[in-house]
Amino acid sequence: MKKIINKPENYTDDMLHGIYQAHPDMVKYVEDDLRCYCTAQKKEGKVAIITGGGTGHLPLFLGYVGENMLDGCGVGSVFQSPSAEQIYNISKEVESGAGILFLYGNYTGDIMNFDMASEMLEMDDIQTRSIVGADDVLSNKNPDARRGVAGIFFMYKCAGAKAAQMGTLDEVLAAAQKAKDNTRTVGFALTPCIIPELGHSNFTLGDNEMAFGMGIHGEPGVWNGPVKTSRELAEESMKEILGDMSVASGEEVCVLINGLGATSQEELYILTGDVEDILKEKGIKVYRTFVGEYATSMEMAGASISICKVADEEMKQWIDMPVHTPFYTQV
Amino acid sequence: MKKIINKPENYTDDMLHGIYQAHPDMVKYVEDDLRCYCTAQKKEGKVAIITGGGTGHLPLFLGYVGENMLDGCGVGSVFQSPSAEQIYNISKEVESGAGILFLYGNYTGDIMNFDMASEMLEMDDIQTRSIVGADDVLSNKNPDARRGVAGIFFMYKCAGAKAAQMGTLDEVLAAAQKAKDNTRTVGFALTPCIIPELGHSNFTLGDNEMAFGMGIHGEPGVWNGPVKTSRELAEESMKEILGDMSVASGEEVCVLINGLGATSQEELYILTGDVEDILKEKGIKVYRTFVGEYATSMEMAGASISICKVADEEMKQWIDMPVHTPFYTQV
């Protein structure tokens, strides 16, 4: 295992220590627990949005806590859920009178703990709503059973903007739902990643082998085979995405080309060019393009393509609203 | 070679095609040459700043072309210099009456071509000045012979800000010089990277071997040996940096923790925590921290640590000036 770390068992907390050192003006923790990650810029009367999930996906999940996005994040160990108590403690800190939206990825452990936190908050008369990201088309035929991956960015963006516009809890939930309904992702991995505490990857890929449809925790994909070209990967991904969500010629979409960790920005832009060429060939207009690392799997090589169909003018406002977090700034 | 690409020989141009597709409002090219990369938001009467260098280091070099930073970038093939003619053509496009600063890394091919472009512009009565980044402490004992690496970011930031403040050509040069005088970098690699057209790396590192002091083109480091811990790497790097540039207790610095490509953001923040702990132990104050990919070597694993001593209040203004490029936004 080649990583720049100290003790593997301190991976998550050492990372958090560095983040708080680097950005003390923007984020803080509560209850003396580094994993109870909260904005340092609470806004009174605003719906609070809380996310959470395992470590190993930066900037997901905590990287989106900041101005006009999220208010708190429960941080689990690598690929593990945060506890219900941590989510509860964050909630008590960031809630400011308008209720809380829980917005996180569709994983069993997370659902259990967020639901438990919700029940604990109910006893304190704090209102919550929950919605999960489930954008990974290839993870399941049933949309409700799909995993949440990089496309959750659009849910964060839209819900965060609606909350910043001082929408009600149900309006903020509806904004997240609108982004969810219009977003699809397909991803593929070229190498595995290593969980620090294990010291090895939990699967292998051959010298010229890739996994199409693989999840960000290494969940098996729909095929393993020789590495295809960027254009071929773009075509196969777009076929899956547009087969699952129809986008007509003349309609507008946002494109998110996400690196899984070890893939160079050069490659991400080569892929971007191919994806946008395909959209152009179909007469689909690109409203805005996002390229970079939005949801990773530590040092996994690979990428994902997310398409978010622009539903209406309101959604454009949400997408375009400036945001500022330690990990992501948009003007 | 596992990369998301099409034909290896089209790597640079396919990448540029994607960048222009993604960010048509911000950047453009001239002379029908994708590699003549210019801002789409030229500002009259401002000193133009032009950089350049080989492909394979995104966001270096072209990623810093944008609002309050740079105006153009000559893009070479992977690890190759752009041509003098390309630099000349970019210069003719972005120059707007106040002269041009050439600001790039200290590499032989680049120096030759920028100098040649300078002579060509002189014949057109366009004034130029040149300065090279040479922040890599371990690359040479002689400061003038050092390579330019991630620390060039602070030169871009300061010179870009001074130009945005409508400084004269010599004032913009002086701002770059001030950043240069106060910036030092040490880097280390855990894996090599592969040049697409070659299809293999030009060196190897063993299973638990790293190279301390290695350059971003794979130039040999000062030692190869077993992978050390983050804290050990931080200590050894800070010893080299502070041995080369004295920073007294109570003085302020900016910290830039840069990923070389394949290293996870989690690891970069673990390293950040260790570097800032060391600074704290020495009574050195951190004015601002930057963490992420600022100068890479495609999919090389590793990191670099840059320290920029805050020389005065003017420099703080430059560091803090908002910037906006397709690759880097600061508010």
PDB file of all heavy atoms in Angstrom, chain A residues 160-180:
ATOM      1  N   GLY A 160     -29.450  23.091  -2.009  1.00  0.00           N
ATOM      2  CA  GLY A 160     -28.689  24.142  -1.320  1.00  0.00           C
ATOM      3  C   GLY A 160     -29.127  25.527  -1.766  1.00  0.00           C
ATOM      4  O   GLY A 160     -29.272  26.446  -0.945  1.00  0.00           O
ATOM      5  N   ALA A 161     -29.357  25.676  -3.063  1.00  0.00           N
ATOM      6  CA  ALA A 161     -29.787  26.978  -3.590  1.00  0.00           C
ATOM      7  C   ALA A 161     -31.186  27.331  -3.105  1.00  0.00           C
ATOM      8  O   ALA A 161     -31.448  28.466  -2.694  1.00  0.00           O
ATOM      9  CB  ALA A 161     -29.747  26.959  -5.123  1.00  0.00           C
ATOM     10  N   LYS A 162     -32.077  26.343  -3.106  1.00  0.00           N
ATOM     11  CA  LYS A 162     -33.456  26.613  -2.662  1.00  0.00           C
ATOM     12  C   LYS A 162     -33.463  26.970  -1.170  1.00  0.00           C
ATOM     13  O   LYS A 162     -34.227  27.858  -0.746  1.00  0.00           O
ATOM     14  CB  LYS A 162     -34.347  25.392  -2.928  1.00  0.00           C
ATOM     15  CG  LYS A 162     -35.829  25.640  -2.699  1.00  0.00           C
ATOM     16  CD  LYS A 162     -36.401  26.619  -3.718  1.00  0.00           C
ATOM     17  CE  LYS A 162     -37.707  27.229  -3.265  1.00  0.00           C
ATOM     18  NZ  LYS A 162     -38.212  28.237  -4.236  1.00  0.00           N
ATOM     19  N   ALA A 163     -32.645  26.314  -0.392  1.00  0.00           N
ATOM     20  CA  ALA A 163     -32.549  26.651   1.032  1.00  0.00           C
ATOM     21  C   ALA A 163     -31.984  28.061   1.206  1.00  0.00           C
ATOM     22  O   ALA A 163     -32.469  28.835   2.040  1.00  0.00           O
ATOM     23  CB  ALA A 163     -31.673  25.632   1.765  1.00  0.00           C
ATOM     24  N   ALA A 164     -30.983  28.408   0.392  1.00  0.00           N
ATOM     25  CA  ALA A 164     -30.397  29.754   0.472  1.00  0.00           C
ATOM     26  C   ALA A 164     -31.422  30.816   0.071  1.00  0.00           C
ATOM     27  O   ALA A 164     -31.363  31.954   0.551  1.00  0.00           O
ATOM     28  CB  ALA A 164     -29.168  29.851  -0.433  1.00  0.00           C
ATOM     29  N   GLN A 165     -32.361  30.431  -0.786  1.00  0.00           N
ATOM     30  CA  GLN A 165     -33.460  31.347  -1.162  1.00  0.00           C
ATOM     31  C   GLN A 165     -34.548  31.361  -0.086  1.00  0.00           C
ATOM     32  O   GLN A 165     -35.615  31.924  -0.305  1.00  0.00           O
ATOM     33  CB  GLN A 165     -34.073  30.910  -2.498  1.00  0.00           C
ATOM     34  CG  GLN A 165     -33.143  31.113  -3.706  1.00  0.00           C
ATOM     35  CD  GLN A 165     -33.668  30.449  -4.983  1.00  0.00           C
ATOM     36  OE1 GLN A 165     -34.470  29.516  -4.933  1.00  0.00           O
ATOM     37  NE2 GLN A 165     -33.212  30.931  -6.134  1.00  0.00           N
ATOM     38  N   MET A 166     -34.268  30.714   1.028  1.00  0.00           N
ATOM     39  CA  MET A 166     -35.172  30.643   2.183  1.00  0.00           C
ATOM     40  C   MET A 166     -36.478  29.911   1.861  1.00  0.00           C
ATOM     41  O   MET A 166     -37.544  30.233   2.387  1.00  0.00           O
ATOM     42  CB  MET A 166     -35.451  32.049   2.759  1.00  0.00           C
ATOM     43  CG  MET A 166     -34.195  32.796   3.179  1.00  0.00           C
ATOM     44  SD  MET A 166     -33.130  31.875   4.326  1.00  0.00           S
ATOM     45  CE  MET A 166     -33.867  32.326   5.898  1.00  0.00           C
ATOM     46  N   GLY A 167     -36.357  28.878   1.033  1.00  0.00           N
ATOM     47  CA  GLY A 167     -37.495  27.998   0.771  1.00  0.00           C
ATOM     48  C   GLY A 167     -37.886  27.239   2.027  1.00  0.00           C
ATOM     49  O   GLY A 167     -37.081  27.080   2.942  1.00  0.00           O
ATOM     50  N   THR A 168     -39.111  26.746   2.044  1.00  0.00           N
ATOM     51  CA  THR A 168     -39.556  25.916   3.171  1.00  0.00           C
ATOM     52  C   THR A 168     -38.928  24.534   3.062  1.00  0.00           C
ATOM     53  O   THR A 168     -38.368  24.168   2.021  1.00  0.00           O
ATOM     54  CB  THR A 168     -41.091  25.741   3.152  1.00  0.00           C
ATOM     55  OG1 THR A 168     -41.426  25.001   1.959  1.00  0.00           O
ATOM     56  CG2 THR A 168     -41.808  27.085   3.118  1.00  0.00           C
ATOM     57  N   LEU A 169     -39.072  23.750   4.126  1.00  0.00           N
ATOM     58  CA  LEU A 169     -38.504  22.403   4.126  1.00  0.00           C
ATOM     59  C   LEU A 169     -39.031  21.586   2.951  1.00  0.00           C
ATOM     60  O   LEU A 169     -38.253  20.902   2.257  1.00  0.00           O
ATOM     61  CB  LEU A 169     -38.812  21.724   5.471  1.00  0.00           C
ATOM     62  CG  LEU A 169     -38.265  20.313   5.686  1.00  0.00           C
ATOM     63  CD1 LEU A 169     -36.773  20.220   5.427  1.00  0.00           C
ATOM     64  CD2 LEU A 169     -38.590  19.825   7.093  1.00  0.00           C
ATOM     65  N   ASP A 170     -40.324  21.674   2.687  1.00  0.00           N
ATOM     66  CA  ASP A 170     -40.877  20.886   1.577  1.00  0.00           C
ATOM     67  C   ASP A 170     -40.431  21.421   0.218  1.00  0.00           C
ATOM     68  O   ASP A 170     -40.270  20.650  -0.727  1.00  0.00           O
ATOM     69  CB  ASP A 170     -42.404  20.803   1.679  1.00  0.00           C
ATOM     70  CG  ASP A 170     -42.819  19.798   2.765  1.00  0.00           C
ATOM     71  OD1 ASP A 170     -42.140  18.751   2.880  1.00  0.00           O
ATOM     72  OD2 ASP A 170     -43.785  20.074   3.487  1.00  0.00           O
ATOM     73  N   GLU A 171     -40.203  22.718   0.133  1.00  0.00           N
ATOM     74  CA  GLU A 171     -39.685  23.281  -1.130  1.00  0.00           C
ATOM     75  C   GLU A 171     -38.237  22.846  -1.384  1.00  0.00           C
ATOM     76  O   GLU A 171     -37.844  22.578  -2.521  1.00  0.00           O
ATOM     77  CB  GLU A 171     -39.777  24.811  -1.104  1.00  0.00           C
ATOM     78  CG  GLU A 171     -41.208  25.331  -1.250  1.00  0.00           C
ATOM     79  CD  GLU A 171     -41.336  26.842  -0.993  1.00  0.00           C
ATOM     80  OE1 GLU A 171     -40.393  27.448  -0.415  1.00  0.00           O
ATOM     81  OE2 GLU A 171     -42.381  27.407  -1.349  1.00  0.00           O
ATOM     82  N   VAL A 172     -37.469  22.787  -0.316  1.00  0.00           N
ATOM     83  CA  VAL A 172     -36.072  22.347  -0.460  1.00  0.00           C
ATOM     84  C   VAL A 172     -36.028  20.868  -0.855  1.00  0.00           C
ATOM     85  O   VAL A 172     -35.259  20.465  -1.748  1.00  0.00           O
ATOM     86  CB  VAL A 172     -35.281  22.613   0.843  1.00  0.00           C
ATOM     87  CG1 VAL A 172     -33.871  22.015   0.761  1.00  0.00           C
ATOM     88  CG2 VAL A 172     -35.206  24.112   1.121  1.00  0.00           C
ATOM     89  N   LEU A 173     -36.902  20.086  -0.230  1.00  0.00           N
ATOM     90  CA  LEU A 173     -37.019  18.677  -0.609  1.00  0.00           C
ATOM     91  C   LEU A 173     -37.416  18.553  -2.083  1.00  0.00           C
ATOM     92  O   LEU A 173     -36.857  17.731  -2.825  1.00  0.00           O
ATOM     93  CB  LEU A 173     -38.063  17.986   0.280  1.00  0.00           C
ATOM     94  CG  LEU A 173     -38.448  16.552  -0.099  1.00  0.00           C
ATOM     95  CD1 LEU A 173     -37.260  15.604   0.034  1.00  0.00           C
ATOM     96  CD2 LEU A 173     -39.624  16.057   0.771  1.00  0.00           C
ATOM     97  N   ALA A 174     -38.347  19.374  -2.516  1.00  0.00           N
ATOM     98  CA  ALA A 174     -38.814  19.312  -3.913  1.00  0.00           C
ATOM     99  C   ALA A 174     -37.694  19.678  -4.887  1.00  0.00           C
ATOM    100  O   ALA A 174     -37.601  19.117  -5.983  1.00  0.00           O
ATOM    101  CB  ALA A 174     -40.019  20.244  -4.102  1.00  0.00           C
ATOM    102  N   ALA A 175     -36.838  20.617  -4.486  1.00  0.00           N
ATOM    103  CA  ALA A 175     -35.706  20.989  -5.341  1.00  0.00           C
ATOM    104  C   ALA A 175     -34.745  19.810  -5.491  1.00  0.00           C
ATOM    105  O   ALA A 175     -34.271  19.504  -6.592  1.00  0.00           O
ATOM    106  CB  ALA A 175     -34.976  22.202  -4.763  1.00  0.00           C
ATOM    107  N   ALA A 176     -34.482  19.134  -4.369  1.00  0.00           N
ATOM    108  CA  ALA A 176     -33.622  17.947  -4.421  1.00  0.00           C
ATOM    109  C   ALA A 176     -34.255  16.870  -5.295  1.00  0.00           C
ATOM    110  O   ALA A 176     -33.588  16.216  -6.096  1.00  0.00           O
ATOM    111  CB  ALA A 176     -33.366  17.416  -3.007  1.00  0.00           C
ATOM    112  N   GLN A 177     -35.558  16.720  -5.148  1.00  0.00           N
ATOM    113  CA  GLN A 177     -36.279  15.708  -5.931  1.00  0.00           C
ATOM    114  C   GLN A 177     -36.222  16.026  -7.429  1.00  0.00           C
ATOM    115  O   GLN A 177     -36.056  15.134  -8.267  1.00  0.00           O
ATOM    116  CB  GLN A 177     -37.745  15.636  -5.464  1.00  0.00           C
ATOM    117  CG  GLN A 177     -38.569  14.532  -6.119  1.00  0.00           C
ATOM    118  CD  GLN A 177     -38.146  13.142  -5.664  1.00  0.00           C
ATOM    119  OE1 GLN A 177     -38.048  12.864  -4.463  1.00  0.00           O
ATOM    120  NE2 GLN A 177     -37.865  12.244  -6.609  1.00  0.00           N
ATOM    121  N   LYS A 178     -36.339  17.299  -7.756  1.00  0.00           N
ATOM    122  CA  LYS A 178     -36.289  17.691  -9.173  1.00  0.00           C
ATOM    123  C   LYS A 178     -34.915  17.363  -9.767  1.00  0.00           C
ATOM    124  O   LYS A 178     -34.817  16.856 -10.892  1.00  0.00           O
ATOM    125  CB  LYS A 178     -36.583  19.192  -9.319  1.00  0.00           C
ATOM    126  CG  LYS A 178     -36.830  19.620 -10.760  1.00  0.00           C
ATOM    127  CD  LYS A 178     -37.008  21.127 -10.913  1.00  0.00           C
ATOM    128  CE  LYS A 178     -38.415  21.562 -10.558  1.00  0.00           C
ATOM    129  NZ  LYS A 178     -38.640  23.013 -10.859  1.00  0.00           N
ATOM    130  N   ALA A 179     -33.870  17.632  -9.006  1.00  0.00           N
ATOM    131  CA  ALA A 179     -32.526  17.290  -9.488  1.00  0.00           C
ATOM    132  C   ALA A 179     -32.395  15.776  -9.625  1.00  0.00           C
ATOM    133  O   ALA A 179     -31.853  15.269 -10.612  1.00  0.00           O
ATOM    134  CB  ALA A 179     -31.471  17.841  -8.533  1.00  0.00           C
ATOM    135  N   LYS A 180     -32.913  15.054  -8.636  1.00  0.00           N
ATOM    136  CA  LYS A 180     -32.825  13.583  -8.665  1.00  0.00           C
ATOM    137  C   LYS A 180     -33.529  13.009  -9.890  1.00  0.00           C
ATOM    138  O   LYS A 180     -32.989  12.156 -10.595  1.00  0.00           O
ATOM    139  CB  LYS A 180     -33.444  13.014  -7.378  1.00  0.00           C
ATOM    140  CG  LYS A 180     -33.451  11.497  -7.301  1.00  0.00           C
ATOM    141  CD  LYS A 180     -33.982  11.016  -5.959  1.00  0.00           C
ATOM    142  CE  LYS A 180     -34.011   9.488  -5.919  1.00  0.00           C
ATOM    143  NZ  LYS A 180     -34.290   8.981  -4.564  1.00  0.00           N
TER     144      LYS A 180
END
